[in-house]
Amino acid sequence: MSTVSNKPEGVDAEVWDRMLRATPAEARRIIRSGAFQAPTSGLCPGYAQANLIVLPKEQAYDFLLFAQRNPKPCPLLEVTEVGAREATICATDCDIATDFPKYRIYRHGELVEETTDVAAYWRDDFVSFVIGCSFSFESELVEAGIEMRHNTMGRNVSMYLTDIDCMPAGSMGGKMVMSMRPIPHDQVVKAVQISGAIPKVHGAPMHIGDPAAIGVRDIAHPEFGDPVDIREGEVPVFWACGVTPQSIVMNSKPEFAITHAPGCMLITDTKNIDLKE
Amino acid sequence: MSTVSNKPEGVDAEVWDRMLRATPAEARRIIRSGAFQAPTSGLCPGYAQANLIVLPKEQAYDFLLFAQRNPKPCPLLEVTEVGAREATICATDCDIATDFPKYRIYRHGELVEETTDVAAYWRDDFVSFVIGCSFSFESELVEAGIEMRHNTMGRNVSMYLTDIDCMPAGSMGGKMVMSMRPIPHDQVVKAVQISGAIPKVHGAPMHIGDPAAIGVRDIAHPEFGDPVDIREGEVPVFWACGVTPQSIVMNSKPEFAITHAPGCMLITDTKNIDLKE
């Protein structure tokens, strides 16, 4: 399967070459070693990638209910046992504290640090929410002949903070984050149908067309990730995004939270096709 | 839409006639009055019906996680705020303590009472889990020309305690309950495809054929509901069932739990077609 991905800036060419040929388990070990600290879009095509939010048990019920009420931005692939650092359902030999290329630390809703390893922060009362990612349907879109502009430009996908409210749950609430891909107008319906067939990884788009209709003020300046070119005849298509929990954390201000850095995902052992059940 | 349902035994003919013509809100009011205490299969076709489990907040996180890990038997339509008796997402003007035709009370995993109103038992620390029901796809199966034998016999659907383990979560675990419908062999594929298109109400079957393969010992004696005739050329088809939480309660023995009585469901305002998103 061709992913038509170009090397992200700053990544060592030899490491990139190993990542392109790696199994998910091998990719996690390379990431764990610290050798790869970049966005993971296009890697291990056919396997699900995942977003992360780690919260103290005290906030876990509210967030679990938030995810139940907001399955489009927060499709849960796995919720770990309290205190466990290992994922066991979506992957094996998987350390949640080291196997994402980059993490963000939030204290009372403020982003205080970006780091490549959160083992030093781990606590016995942490619960990890592993959330499906739109990169899962990207490989199918590419297979169907739809260019993923951020991959061909060697960039992170564009993500926007919209003015669409999530349904709140207890202490958790806020606006939805959406990822955007420019799609030629004659491929939009195909993109809806292909992504819609995988509801466990965000499913069909939330919005097609005018960015202003969902409160996106400046398409050239995404709140997360990188801008990409939108060419003549292309339509911006927006999907619910697993960075939404970071918007929720910023709004709801839990005492402490760890997330992945946008675009820098966990590569799981779960095949996308098994998410279609 | 024809439901080809016959009046359940013991139901007043005039009440049955009103139920057959009722909107979901009207049906809930008739049930709230105590006039209808029977299975709800076939009523208000096109609208989702729902299973129930009510637990103290102390067990709510474990059960919410159990439902997340077992979406086939426990597809959540709504989880209420702590202490609230009203459903607000799947219906309006809906009192969870009165709008099911019949309830079951469990203490430490023992079924201690069956009753038509649980208002007297309500506590400030209760959380209600409203769970999708296979009756949602029954109206589509009937539309597609597939007979629902329990409806034409005026009986409750057959439900079996299988030996298939659910994935446990904290204090919650146990075997899966499945509903069974006999389907002519040349309609089985159609039944899989139609039900599979609505994953939020149990989705595709768990098993087709030999009851022994899933630990069903005696097809003529279901653990819940009524037996139905299986005719020459028909195949028993098994779907994950929202009575599974009652199996979990019997196994996990929470201090207190309220469930619906099998087959006696909440009729919601949610259209089945809106569960296909």
Side-chain angles (χ1 to χ4, degrees):
Chain A
M1 192 184 292
S2 164
T3 60
V4 205
S5 286
N6 287 319
K7 185 174 81 62
E9 227 173 291
V11 173
D12 179 86
E14 186 266 339
V15 170
W16 179 244
D17 188 59
R18 280 166 61 209
M19 286 295 281
L20 283 178
R21 290 177 293 106
T23 65
E26 290 164 355
R28 289 195 298 275
R29 280 195 289 272
I30 293 169
I31 290 168
R32 195 178 305 163
S33 75
F36 184 85
Q37 308 181 353
T40 49
S41 174
L43 295 171
C44 297
Y47 290 91
Q49 298 197 20
N51 302 275
L52 177 70
I53 177 165
V54 181
L55 287 165
K57 175 68 165 67
E58 203 181 329
Q59 278 81 43
Y61 178 79
D62 283 356
F63 190 80
L64 187 53
L65 187 55
F66 179 86
Q68 190 274 321
R69 291 184 178 166
N70 298 278
K72 292 274 282 190
C74 298
L76 294 172
L77 298 182
E78 175 166 355
V79 182
T80 61
E81 298 300 322
V82 179
R85 260 173 58 173
E86 298 74 32
T88 57
I89 297 173
C90 69
T92 54
D93 181 19
C94 175
D95 183 345
I96 287 171
T98 60
D99 291 2
F100 289 73
K102 218 179 277 179
Y103 300 84
R104 288 182 165 184
I105 310 286
Y106 290 86
R107 290 188 193 276
H108 302 289
E110 296 287 327
L111 172 60
V112 294
E113 191 186 339
E114 203 165 81
T115 177
T116 60
D117 181 327
V118 294
Y121 291 98
W122 210 262
R123 294 180 0 195
D124 284 347
D125 68 337
F126 279 171
V127 176
S128 298
F129 298 86
V130 181
I131 296 172
C133 168
S134 55
F135 295 172
S136 278
F137 59 70
E138 287 188 346
S139 58
E140 294 208 16
L141 294 177
V142 169
E143 275 291 286
I146 302 174
E147 180 192 342
M148 294 290 97
R149 181 67 37 75
H150 58 288
N151 284 352
T152 48
M153 292 179 76
R155 292 192 181 171
N156 197 348
V157 69
S158 308
M159 292 162 271
Y160 300 86
L161 185 60
T162 72
D163 65 2
I164 305 297
D165 280 312
C166 296
M167 193 180 296
S171 60
M172 298 288 164
K175 306 290 187 188
M176 198 181 299
V177 175
M178 299 189 199
S179 63
M180 186 282 292
R181 292 158 187 81
I183 311 273
H185 64 82
D186 60 351
Q187 293 187 311
V188 169
V189 168
K190 188 158 70 172
V192 171
Q193 292 188 298
I194 289 172
S195 59
I198 326 185
K200 288 185 193 167
V201 283
H202 305 306
M206 298 296 294
H207 179 63
I208 296 166
D210 183 15
I214 53 169
V216 171
R217 275 159 297 198
D218 184 355
I219 197 78
H221 291 91
E223 279 78 13
F224 306 93
D226 301 319
V228 298
D229 299 339
I230 304 178
R231 300 191 188 135
E232 186 72 25
E234 291 180 343
V235 180
V237 179
F238 294 86
W239 278 267
C241 178
V243 170
T244 299
Q246 301 187 41
S247 152
I248 303 310
V249 162
M250 287 186 269
N251 184 58
S252 305
K253 307 188 195 320
E255 162 242 324
F256 193 79
I258 298 171
T259 73
H260 70 295
C264 299
M265 319 305 284
L266 178 70
I267 300 171
T268 77
D269 294 335
T270 301
K271 289 190 169 170
N272 290 329
I273 200 163
D274 289 327
L275 298 175
K276 292 189 179 183
E277 282 185 293
Chain B
M1 195 183 288
S2 164
T3 60
V4 206
S5 285
N6 286 319
K7 185 175 80 64
E9 227 174 291
V11 173
D12 179 85
E14 187 265 339
V15 170
W16 180 244
D17 188 57
R18 280 166 61 208
M19 287 294 281
L20 282 179
R21 289 178 293 108
T23 64
E26 290 163 355
R28 288 196 298 276
R29 280 196 288 271
I30 293 169
I31 290 167
R32 196 179 304 163
S33 76
F36 184 85
Q37 309 181 354
T40 49
S41 174
L43 295 171
C44 298
Y47 289 91
Q49 298 198 18
N51 302 274
L52 178 70
I53 177 165
V54 181
L55 287 165
K57 176 67 164 72
E58 203 181 331
Q59 278 82 43
Y61 179 80
D62 282 357
F63 189 82
L64 188 53
L65 187 55
F66 179 86
Q68 190 275 320
R69 289 183 180 168
N70 297 277
K72 294 274 280 188
C74 298
L76 294 173
L77 298 183
E78 176 166 354
V79 182
T80 62
E81 298 300 321
V82 179
R85 259 172 59 174
E86 297 75 31
T88 57
I89 297 172
C90 68
T92 55
D93 182 20
C94 176
D95 183 345
I96 287 171
T98 60
D99 291 2
F100 289 74
K102 218 178 278 178
Y103 300 84
R104 289 183 164 181
I105 310 285
Y106 289 87
R107 289 188 194 277
H108 301 288
E110 296 287 327
L111 172 61
V112 293
E113 191 186 339
E114 203 165 80
T115 180
T116 60
D117 182 326
V118 294
Y121 290 98
W122 211 261
R123 294 179 2 195
D124 285 348
D125 68 336
F126 279 171
V127 176
S128 299
F129 298 86
V130 180
I131 295 171
C133 168
S134 55
F135 294 171
S136 278
F137 60 69
E138 287 188 348
S139 56
E140 294 209 16
L141 295 177
V142 169
E143 276 290 287
I146 302 175
E147 181 193 342
M148 295 290 97
R149 181 67 37 74
H150 58 289
N151 284 352
T152 49
M153 292 180 76
R155 293 193 179 169
N156 197 348
V157 69
S158 308
M159 293 162 270
Y160 301 87
L161 184 60
T162 72
D163 66 1
I164 305 296
D165 281 311
C166 295
M167 194 180 297
S171 60
M172 299 286 164
K175 306 289 186 187
M176 199 181 300
V177 175
M178 299 189 199
S179 62
M180 186 280 293
R181 291 157 187 82
I183 311 271
H185 64 82
D186 61 351
Q187 294 186 310
V188 168
V189 169
K190 190 158 68 170
V192 171
Q193 292 187 299
I194 290 172
S195 59
I198 326 186
K200 287 185 193 166
V201 284
H202 304 308
M206 298 296 295
H207 179 63
I208 296 167
D210 184 15
I214 52 170
V216 171
R217 274 159 299 197
D218 184 357
I219 197 80
H221 291 91
E223 281 77 14
F224 306 94
D226 302 319
V228 297
D229 300 339
I230 304 178
R231 300 193 187 133
E232 186 73 25
E234 292 180 343
V235 181
V237 180
F238 296 85
W239 278 267
C241 178
V243 172
T244 299
Q246 301 188 40
S247 150
I248 302 311
V249 163
M250 289 185 269
N251 184 59
S252 305
K253 305 187 198 319
E255 162 243 323
F256 193 77
I258 298 171
T259 72
H260 70 296
C264 299
M265 320 305 283
L266 178 70
I267 300 172
T268 77
D269 296 333
T270 301
K271 289 190 167 168
N272 290 331
I273 200 163
D274 289 328
L275 298 175
K276 292 188 175 181
E277 282 183 294

